[in-house]
Each structure stands twice: as structure tokens, then as C-alpha cells.
């Protein structure tokens, strides 16, 4: 395939195409799927504190990422939930920044640090179990159990599970905040292991799908969410977190497949008959409930960023 546009194409079409798929001139994979992209004009309203999302530049260079003991054990009292199970949004933000962003992301680029942090809180609002007591404050770690604040069930599988599951048992059946932050960092900026940037590092010798090189819009895939509205451009990212994955150690997700929930990673919005909104609106709606109850993700992240530098 080639990315050279026929001369007869109207320049407005080219401009719209590059807005939807800016990677098209740099990535053969993206170029192959241009025909599957729906050119749209209407964008979703922005969520407070969120700038443009996307892939952070990976900071690690290893071919196999491993958990360090500090992350696994997560002993510091600052990471512990209350007796009632509350993890505050400040704790969640701090854990993501310390064990995720600072370990896995190079400084600079997109998304900016505030967007990274707010994005993590928006995802947590959609994934971590809330109660009437935690609304506006955070979420309930006890009820979220071994999936953790970002619902990273994959961490319990393969050789990775051999490392993570014993710690979950020590922690009373709960995936701690440090492991969750580390897992989120890996998913959103796993190290590349080849110069062509086509192969992803394993995590504890286990192959997982990641957000690396995932296209910018859900519209770039051929399996829209059940309640997606034709004519609307749906971002594939909330901060550094993607809805649909692309790269792994051995393969990429086929953008042309039409299987329901295809390429799902942070899959809120893709569940027919259950989710009221498509991605990213599913997570925005969950997060808005907390904002309406008094949470301020932007201020929380400003303070967290200042406190973790």
C-alpha cells in the first residue's frame, strides 16, 4: 500500500483525513486502514482538565519489564485504603504518577502531565467500584478486589500472575495501588524492543496488548461501540489510556475487523445492552458524577503533580 494521494482528491478531503489519522504518513499499518476511517465533522465536548490524549514516549528500554519489590509490596501508609475501603482520588493520582508515569514516560510530548493525571482519574472513575460513601471522594478498594483501581485483570495471568497473585493474597485479595499504577504505565507506554518500533516488551515474560501506536480515534477501527452515533468523531484516548489497543510483542490488532468489542482494552462503552454511552462518554459520565458530588480532578492533579516532582 502507498500513502500517496491521487491528484484528483480534493485538498479538503486530505486535510480531514490527516486530522483523523495523523499517523497515516508515518505508519504503513495506518495507511492500510484509511479506507475504514469515517470522515466526520462533529466532535465531543471536552472534559475539564483533559487536553489531547495519545502515547507518551516510553522511558524504559528493556525487552522484559519486571516488578520491583517496592511496587509489589506497596508498604507505605500513603497507599493504603481506609478501614471502610476508601482510596481517595489524590491517592490514585499519586500512585499513577509515581509508579506509572514517572517509571514509564519520558517527559514532554503528548499528553501533557495534567492530562495524563486527569485521564487516569477519569478511567478510575469508570473502573473502580464506587459507593454512596465514596462518591466525590474516590472509590472502594475492598469492593474492587483483585482487579484494582483500573480493573487490570490481565496482571493476574501468565507468568505475570505468578508474581502479582501472591501479593494480592498478602493484601487480603486486593490489587494494591502501586501494582495498579505500574500496570497502567506499562499498558500506556510499554518499551519498544526494536528500532522499527513494532515489538513491545513483555511484562514478567508475558505478552500483553498495549496502547502503543493505537490510532487516535475509535473511528479508525471498523468495530464502533454499540451506541456510537454516525457523524461523531470519538477519541480513542483519555489521557494516555486507550479504548482500543494496537501493538503487542507478537502482533497488532487488525483495524479492519468487525467483531463486537474488537481490540478492547479499557472497554467501557463497548458493552451492548449494559453501557449507556460509547467511549469516551461512558467514562466522562462516570467521572461527572464525582465532579457533581464535589470532586475536582484538575485541582487534585495539580496538587499531585506538585507533590511528586
Amino acid at each position: 500500500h502507498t500513502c500517496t494521494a491521487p491528484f484528483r482528491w480534493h485538498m479538503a478531503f486530505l486535510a480531514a483525513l490527516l486530522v483523523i489519522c495523523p499517523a497515516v504518513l508515518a505508519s504503513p499499518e495506518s495507511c492500510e486502514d484509511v479506507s475504514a476511517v469515517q470522515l466526520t465533522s462533529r466532535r465531543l465536548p471536552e472534559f475539564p482538565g483533559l487536553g489531547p490524549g495519545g502515547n507518551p514516549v516510553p522511558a524504559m528500554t528493556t525487552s522484559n519489564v519486571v516488578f520491583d519489590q517496592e511496587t509489589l509490596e506497596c508498604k507505605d501508609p500513603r497507599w493504603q485504603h481506609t478501614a471502610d475501603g476508601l482510596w481517595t482520588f489524590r491517592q490514585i493520582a499519586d500512585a499513577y504518577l509515581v509508579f506509572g508515569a514517572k517509571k514509564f514516560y519520558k517527559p514532554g510530548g503528548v499528553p501533557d502531565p495534567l492530562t495524563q493525571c486527569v485521564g487516569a482519574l477519569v478511567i478510575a472513575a469508570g473502573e473502580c467500584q464506587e459507593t454512596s460513601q465514596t462518591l466525590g471522594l474516590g472509590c472502594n478498594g475492598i469492593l474492587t478486589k483483585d482487579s484494582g483501581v483500573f480493573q487490570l485483570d490481565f496482571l493476574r495471568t501468565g507468568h505475570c500472575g505468578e508474581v502479582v497473585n501472591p501479593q494480592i493474597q498478602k493484601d487480603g485479595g486486593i490489587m494494591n495501588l502501586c501494582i495498579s499504577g505500574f500496570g497502567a504505565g506499562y499498558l500506556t507506554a510499554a518499551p519498544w524492543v526494536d528500532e522499527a518500533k513494532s515489538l513491545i516488551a513483555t511484562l514478567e515474560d508475558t505478552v500483553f496488548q498495549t496502547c502503543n501506536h493505537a490510532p487516535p480515534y475509535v473511528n479508525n477501527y471498523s468495530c464502533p461501540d454499540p451506541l456510537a452515533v454516525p457523524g461523531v468523531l470519538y477519541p480513542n484516548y483519555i489521557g494516555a489510556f486507550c479504548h482500543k489497543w494496537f501493538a503487542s510483542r507478537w502482533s497488532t490488532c487488525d483495524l479492519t475487523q468487525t467483531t463486537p468489542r474488537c481490540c478492547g482494552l479499557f472497554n467501557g462503552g463497548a458493552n451492548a445492552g449494559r453501557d449507556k454511552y460509547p467511549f469516551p462518554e461512558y467514562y466522562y459520565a462516570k467521572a461527572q458524577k464525582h465532579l457533581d458530588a464535589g470532586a475536582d480532578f484538575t485541582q487534585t492533579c495539580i496538587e499531585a503533580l506538585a507533590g511528586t516532582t
Side-chain angles (χ1 to χ4, degrees):
H1 298 271
T2 176
C3 288
T4 304
F7 182 75
R8 64 178 179 274
W9 284 6
H10 195 280
M11 291 304 294
F13 178 89
L14 265 179
L17 176 61
L18 293 176
V19 167
I20 293 177
C21 191
V24 68
L25 295 180
S27 170
E29 294 91 346
S30 300
C31 187
E32 290 175 1
D33 297 296
V34 168
S35 61
V37 176
Q38 178 185 8
L39 297 181
T40 57
S41 58
R42 188 158 68 90
R43 295 172 179 265
L44 297 176
E46 295 180 356
F47 188 87
L50 284 180
N55 288 146
V57 177
M60 293 188 183
T61 56
T62 181
S63 62
N64 179 53
V65 178
V66 297
F67 282 93
D68 58 273
Q69 283 303 116
E70 180 187 6
T71 299
L72 274 176
E73 295 176 354
C74 206
K75 290 181 176 179
D76 195 311
R78 70 187 288 203
W79 310 123
Q80 310 310 311
H81 57 70
T82 65
D84 294 330
L86 174 66
W87 277 324
T88 67
F89 284 123
R90 176 59 190 270
Q91 287 178 292
I92 296 168
D94 284 346
Y96 165 72
L97 292 173
V98 170
F99 297 98
K102 290 189 178 296
K103 288 182 181 290
F104 286 88
Y105 307 167
K106 279 188 177 180
V110 173
D112 62 79
L114 181 61
T115 294
Q116 293 171 12
C117 180
V118 172
L121 296 186
V122 172
I123 294 293
E127 298 290 355
C128 191
Q129 183 67 47
E130 67 183 37
T131 67
S132 58
Q133 288 73 36
T134 64
L135 195 62
L137 302 174
C139 70
N140 191 298
I142 295 174
L143 295 180
T144 301
K145 300 180 181 179
D146 57 3
S147 292
V149 67
F150 300 119
Q151 291 286 316
L152 303 184
D153 297 312
F154 76 96
L155 292 176
R156 304 198 310 272
T157 65
H159 294 299
C160 186
E162 295 171 4
V163 176
V164 170
N165 290 331
Q167 186 62 46
I168 289 176
Q169 293 175 4
K170 292 178 183 178
D171 293 334
I174 297 171
M175 183 183 290
N176 65 50
L177 280 182
C178 309
I179 291 175
S180 292
F182 191 92
Y186 172 81
L187 278 185
T188 53
W192 296 103
V193 300
D194 63 328
E195 292 184 3
K197 294 185 177 181
S198 60
L199 301 177
I200 300 297
T202 52
L203 177 59
E204 295 289 353
D205 293 314
T206 310
V207 176
F208 295 115
Q209 293 85 21
T210 72
C211 293
N212 290 48
H213 276 186
Y217 299 102
V218 180
N219 308 63
N220 291 108
Y221 295 80
S222 301
C223 50
D225 288 343
L227 296 180
V229 177
V232 175
L233 189 61
Y234 292 97
N236 190 37
Y237 288 89
I238 296 176
F241 293 75
C242 66
H243 182 40
K244 296 182 179 294
W245 67 274
F246 184 69
S248 73
R249 181 58 171 266
W250 301 122
S251 64
T252 57
C253 187
D254 180 4
L255 297 167
T256 66
Q257 64 176 293
T258 57
T259 306
R261 292 164 44 97
C262 84
C263 310
L265 195 55
F266 291 95
N267 224 18
N271 303 292
R274 191 182 76 183
D275 298 343
K276 295 182 179 180
Y277 308 99
F279 185 95
E281 292 174 301
Y282 170 88
Y283 290 95
Y284 291 172
K286 293 279 189 177
Q288 188 62 50
K289 290 173 60 179
H290 287 284
L291 299 192
D292 292 343
D296 187 336
F297 288 180
T298 301
Q299 186 60 36
T300 295
C301 284
I302 290 173
E303 294 171 1
L305 288 163
T308 58
T309 53

